[in-house]
Amino acid sequence: PIAWRGQVALLAAEAGAPGTRLFPEVKEDKIATTAAKQHVDLAVTAQAGQVLLFLLMMLLAGMVLSNPVEEKANKIIEILAAAIPMDAVFVGKLFAMLGVSFVGLAVWGASAGVAILLGGAAIPALVAPAVGWPLFVALFVVYFALAYLLIGSIFLTVGSMAATVRDVQTLSMPATILQLAVFFLATFAMTDVGSAVELFAAIFPLSSPYAMVGRAAQSPELLPHLFAIAWQVAWVAIFVRSGASLFRRRVTSIPRPRGDARAFAEAVRWIRAAEHPVIVSGGGVLYSEATVALATFCERTGIPVCETQAGKGALRWDHPCALGATGVTGTPGADHFCRGADLVTTDVWTSM
């Protein structure tokens, strides 16, 4: 037999002993993390929240930039302007797009949750934010909505100034640069919570949502968020009110050239010579605020009035001369009069 010596002999004797050997339970005791390591971990969570908010803004807020141009091209904006005030159109568009964004946010969030469940340990976990995950998610949704309304009101106003799709493409570059500048400011301010730069980022309206998302991840204090949300809501009201005013002036900016005297005389001669004239009222009557003049004219002459979709409301529906809409979506009476008319007059904004 081999004569073992030292610690090897002790191990050999232990291994060769008869009976079942009982070993002590091994437990893992996690040591406390240092303050520096905890600060770095929270900063990573804060940066992840800011990056996610930035990506959502880039993907979703830009949709409102081209929307006014599309509606100008297909004349939907004329129908809307004839039906409701343009301020209401602006606010409705902004909040409707926010609702659509919430739907997208819910779908992407559910997809991310499934990916995390399937990925398991393969996906690196983030350290829980200072305010806890439930409150952090709630604050993130609130700041997302406020950031969307702030930047969306700017984009919708700028989009109303564009006349073509090419103009939108030209304006999209400054819009992207604005978003990048705001994101970089908030990201830099996140590295030093409580500094003058971080305070400025939290006060500046466009960067405030990003800065407060970073603060929620790194600081457990909740009172600053109450002030920040109230501050951002006030700026949302200012941006929406100012944007709606500019939107109204830009979208409904209609040139009003002076009428030609000879053209007026020729029109009068044609109307007097016609036996079955018909007026087709379009959006131009509403834009020119000529509804009273139209009613007075048809009452004096007895000429019946049809209307386009953009001219809805130019003449009251119960007026004796009102025939209703004409065309594909028109009424039988209006179509009958138009087929039998020997003269059809309309405003310059109606396409025949």
Side-chain angles (χ1 to χ4, degrees):
I2 300 175
W4 301 102
R5 295 177 179 275
Q7 296 182 355
V8 176
L10 178 62
L11 293 175
E14 185 70 21
T20 302
R21 311 302 296 169
L22 298 177
F23 297 96
E25 183 181 358
V26 178
K27 295 182 178 180
E28 179 183 1
D29 292 332
K30 184 177 180 180
I31 62 173
T33 57
T34 62
K37 179 65 167 60
Q38 186 178 14
H39 176 75
V40 172
D41 292 341
L42 291 177
V44 172
T45 302
Q47 188 174 23
Q50 289 180 334
V51 171
L52 179 60
L53 181 59
F54 171 72
L55 292 177
L56 291 174
M57 288 296 104
M58 289 289 292
L59 291 172
L60 299 174
M63 292 190 299
V64 301
L65 191 60
S66 59
N67 186 265
V69 178
E70 297 173 357
E71 294 187 347
K72 285 181 183 178
N74 54 31
K75 295 189 176 182
I76 292 179
I77 200 68
E78 295 182 8
I79 300 176
L80 294 175
I84 56 178
M86 292 308 297
D87 293 358
V89 173
F90 181 90
V91 176
K93 284 180 176 297
L94 190 59
F95 280 89
M97 295 302 292
L98 176 61
V100 173
S101 300
F102 274 132
V103 174
L105 194 63
V107 173
W108 294 339
S111 302
V114 172
I116 292 174
L117 291 176
L118 296 178
I123 301 177
L126 294 173
V127 174
V131 298
W133 279 117
L135 189 56
F136 182 79
V137 173
L139 289 173
F140 182 89
V141 172
V142 172
Y143 289 131
F144 165 78
L146 293 172
Y148 188 94
L149 293 175
L150 286 168
I151 199 72
S153 61
I154 295 177
F155 285 178
L156 191 56
T157 304
V158 173
S160 67
M161 301 179 183
T164 62
V165 177
R166 184 179 295 274
D167 293 339
V168 173
Q169 295 173 349
T170 303
L171 294 171
S172 63
M173 180 59 69
T176 303
I177 294 175
L178 173 63
Q179 289 186 342
L180 286 172
V182 168
F183 171 69
F184 288 144
L185 171 63
T187 303
F188 177 76
M190 178 201 67
T191 59
D192 189 7
V193 178
S195 64
V197 177
E198 198 264 347
L199 182 61
F200 173 77
I203 293 176
F204 185 62
L206 297 179
S207 62
S208 182
Y210 296 93
M212 296 311 297
V213 166
R215 178 181 277 266
Q218 299 183 89
S219 175
E221 298 179 3
L222 299 180
L223 187 60
H225 294 285
L226 297 178
F227 288 116
I229 292 173
W231 174 254
Q232 292 171 35
V233 167
W235 277 102
V236 165
I238 295 173
F239 274 49
V240 169
R241 185 177 182 84
S242 302
S245 178
L246 292 173
F247 183 84
R248 182 180 65 252
R249 290 201 295 267
R250 295 296 303 182
V251 172
T252 59
S253 178
I254 306 299
R256 304 186 186 280
R258 296 179 63 87
D260 182 74
R262 289 177 297 178
F264 276 127
E266 187 74 6
V268 170
R269 186 178 65 82
W270 286 354
I271 292 174
R272 287 176 175 174
E275 295 182 1
H276 303 288
V278 172
I279 298 174
V280 177
S281 173
V285 177
L286 298 172
Y287 292 146
S288 301
E289 300 178 353
T291 55
V292 175
L294 174 64
T296 303
F297 179 78
C298 66
E299 287 169 2
R300 291 180 178 179
T301 60
I303 299 177
V305 178
C306 304
E307 60 186 9
T308 65
Q309 293 298 322
K312 285 287 187 179
L315 190 67
R316 285 181 56 89
W317 65 272
D318 56 352
H319 194 280
C321 294
L323 298 177
T326 185
V328 178
T329 58
T331 63
D335 292 339
H336 172 77
F337 272 85
C338 287
R339 281 194 298 267
D342 57 354
L343 176 66
V344 177
T345 63
T346 182
D347 59 76
V348 296
W349 294 101
T350 300
S351 300
M352 300 298 290

